[in-house]
Amino acid sequence: MPARWKHRHRTTTLATALAVGIVLTVMPASAAPCGSGVGDPYFPDDGNSGYDVSEYDVRVNYDPARSRHLEGDTTVQAVATQDLDHFHLDLEGFQVTSVTVDGTPASAVSREGAHELVVTPARPLAKDTRFSVRVRYSGKPVGEGWHTLANGGASATGEPHSATAWYPANDHPSDKATFRLTATVPTGWQVVGNGRPGATSTGRGTSTFRWYEDRPMATFLSTIGIDKFTVRTSELSDGTPVIHAYSPGAGVRPEAEAQLPEIIDFLASKFGPYPFSSAGAIVIDGNDDGPNALETQSRPTYQGGFSDVSMVHENTHQWFGNSVSLSDWRDGCLAECFAQYAGQLWDEEKHGADLDNGFYRSMVEESTADPDFWTTRLYDPGKGRELASALYFKGAMMLHALRRTVGDTAFFGTLKRWQRDHRYGNASWPQFEALMGNVSGKDLTGFFRAWAHGTTVPEKKYLFPGSLGSLAPAAEHGGGTAGARNTWVGTGDHT
């Protein structure tokens, strides 16, 4: 995905902190030996050690007409995983006006680095202690995940980062939590979030909307959409509620909406039961500042509109990336490779596509003429390449070759087993390799070395396994690509 976000940061001023009674200091990153970062090799400052979050309760008040000002009041429920005399939260910008731990004002609050909020509780927290930290803050959002719409509305989306642009979090996919959102906006505006809606209430010139995601969610998958939406509701075939919300300029898509139950039923037949208690879409009006689509949990966010291809991709993420999330950012193939290949599976199912002679043949012919195509590893692609285009294109090719290597029974059986074993948790690419080998009963070491860990064209036995063997002469000496149907969404279109 192109790097479209602006990296900005605004710290709490000492004068403001003293005015509200917070003891604020600025500390070098080295002063927090066991607080900042969870050890992700690509984003060493992301997340925080020492605790595990169970739930976020995020309350915001946003006024598009008042300089797009946000007032936030977030409570984080967590369990200490070690003795803590201080701990970190990730938050970009804002003036922090108060911090309490279990209802008692923190003895000190400090800023550190680009997005660290360091909290020292009045009393140290012992290992295994459940605690809550409440942070009140205000200001104009400045983080890379906050996108202002043309009419003053807003959308919070981004990968790998978005949450810290609007609430304090343990911002790494390895720490998933349930999520409550309460958002107050001026009358006439609406708010859409993850999960199911709660009660809506009104005040003097305001409306308050409530949403709750009851399954653990990685922070970058949380969202808020603020606009004058048209909201349409329906159900999946099993009765799961579906909510589609359209910005005024986005255009309602009833025909596309009608395909969603079919798409989710199809994906469930390949991956196992749909993992969440709601579905649908948030469709925002054209906004060049953010991603064109993102797999926000339970309800993907699209820019401008959506089709069956984008719905297949983003809803595949509800299984691969959302229900089963990455262990760290080396594991991006566990999300993007599968979401991209799902587009080919849909083309095969819906249009009778011959994936061997269409999709795979054309990709081999194009890619073997381009050595750079193969230079990115699918597992551990490198810092700054965690969402490289190879995860989409080379990754989908790898999965088709893997399917032809182990056969459909083992391939789809492994995908369902993967979802069942790791549902609502985290897993790594090496774990997937091991599971596929166990289920198939095949030694796949060479295959994965060539495809997932290699940086050159796989040797013939891995490039043309099984029924793909018939393509080898044509691929080696050239050949036509007639009949190939291009269902690539591509990194320029979404993540």
Side-chain angles (χ1 to χ4, degrees), residues 216-241:
M217 177 168 63
T219 48
F220 82 92
L221 299 171
S222 63
T223 191
I224 182 172
I226 302 170
D227 210 334
K228 298 180 179 181
F229 290 112
T230 296
V231 178
R232 292 164 55 88
T233 61
S234 58
E235 293 182 346
L236 299 180
S237 60
D238 64 358
T240 298

Side-chain angles (χ1 to χ4, degrees), residues 9 11 28 50 53 57 59 72 80 83 107 110 115 129 137 202 223 255 299 301 327 346 360 397 399 402-404 448:
H9 176 69
T11 59
V53 178
D57 185 350
R59 299 169 185 248
D83 293 340
S107 64
S110 62
H115 54 73
T129 297
Y137 50 100
T202 58
T223 191
E255 292 182 1
R299 189 162 296 105
T301 299
S327 291
W346 174 251
Y360 197 83
M397 291 179 69
L399 290 178
L402 178 61
R403 179 183 170 191
R404 294 299 185 237
F448 284 122

Side-chain angles (χ1 to χ4, degrees), residues 118-454:
V118 186
V119 178
T120 302
R123 292 177 296 277
L125 301 169
K127 182 180 179 180
D128 298 327
T129 297
R130 294 186 176 275
F131 68 97
S132 65
V133 54
R134 182 179 183 184
V135 182
R136 298 182 185 183
Y137 50 100
S138 64
K140 184 177 179 179
V142 298
E144 65 185 45
W146 189 266
H147 313 290
T148 303
L149 307 183
N151 63 353
S155 173
T157 56
E159 185 178 12
H161 307 109
S162 68
T164 57
W166 59 295
Y167 66 93
N170 193 17
D171 193 30
H172 191 268
S174 60
D175 192 1
K176 300 168 68 171
T178 57
F179 190 84
R180 293 184 181 275
L181 171 64
T182 304
T184 300
V185 292
T187 299
W189 295 83
Q190 292 168 288
V191 176
V192 180
N194 306 92
R196 293 198 182 203
T200 299
S201 56
T202 58
R204 287 190 173 184
T206 64
S207 297
T208 299
F209 297 84
R210 296 169 178 84
W211 294 84
Y212 179 53
E213 174 50 66
D214 60 351
R215 297 299 185 183
M217 177 168 63
T219 48
F220 82 92
L221 299 171
S222 63
T223 191
I224 182 172
I226 302 170
D227 210 334
K228 298 180 179 181
F229 290 112
T230 296
V231 178
R232 292 164 55 88
T233 61
S234 58
E235 293 182 346
L236 299 180
S237 60
D238 64 358
T240 298
V242 175
I243 299 170
H244 286 86
Y246 297 89
S247 285
V252 175
R253 305 287 181 95
E255 292 182 1
E257 284 180 27
Q259 284 190 293
L260 183 61
E262 180 186 3
I263 288 170
I264 289 185
D265 284 348
F266 167 72
L267 297 175
S269 74
K270 301 298 184 184
F271 311 143
Y274 180 67
F276 300 116
S277 61
S278 68
I282 304 172
V283 189
I284 60 172
D285 200 358
N287 168 5
D288 292 335
D289 188 34
N292 287 349
L294 194 84
E295 60 270 22
T296 44
Q297 188 157 306
S298 73
R299 189 162 296 105
T301 299
Y302 305 90
Q303 187 179 142
F306 54 89
S307 64
D308 63 334
V309 174
S310 56
M311 283 192 292
V312 167
H313 187 109
E314 302 306 335
N315 282 287
T316 296
H317 278 308
Q318 304 307 316
W319 284 265
F320 290 91
N322 295 15
S323 177
V324 183
S325 299
L326 319 179
S327 291
D328 62 48
W329 286 105
R330 294 174 297 180
D331 295 317
C333 187
L334 287 173
E336 301 305 340
C337 296
F338 291 90
Q340 195 72 355
Y341 186 54
Q344 305 307 324
L345 297 177
W346 174 251
D347 198 19
E348 181 180 50
E349 173 79 9
K350 188 71 174 177
H351 305 102
D354 179 346
L355 298 188
D356 286 3
N357 288 290
F359 150 70
Y360 197 83
R361 176 195 288 269
S362 64
M363 288 301 300
V364 167
E365 292 176 354
E366 293 174 18
S367 61
T368 51
D370 178 13
D372 289 342
F373 179 92
W374 300 96
T375 58
T376 298
R377 294 185 301 271
L378 296 178
Y379 172 63
D380 194 8
K383 186 174 182 179
R385 307 182 76 181
E386 59 277 350
L387 297 173
S389 62
L391 274 62
Y392 299 76
F393 304 113
K394 179 182 171 184
M397 291 179 69
M398 175 192 68
L399 290 178
H400 191 62
L402 178 61
R403 179 183 170 191
R404 294 299 185 237
T405 298
V406 302
D408 278 11
T409 299
F411 181 79
F412 291 110
T414 300
L415 300 194
K416 290 181 178 179
R417 170 80 177 272
W418 178 256
Q419 292 297 320
R420 185 171 67 249
D421 289 356
H422 301 289
R423 195 171 174 89
Y424 308 127
N426 299 81
S428 69
W429 180 261
Q431 288 176 284
F432 177 79
E433 290 187 6
L435 182 63
M436 184 62 75
N438 289 339
V439 173
S440 68
K442 293 180 178 288
D443 182 356
L444 299 173
T445 304
F447 178 92
F448 284 122
R449 184 185 299 119
W451 274 102
H453 306 276

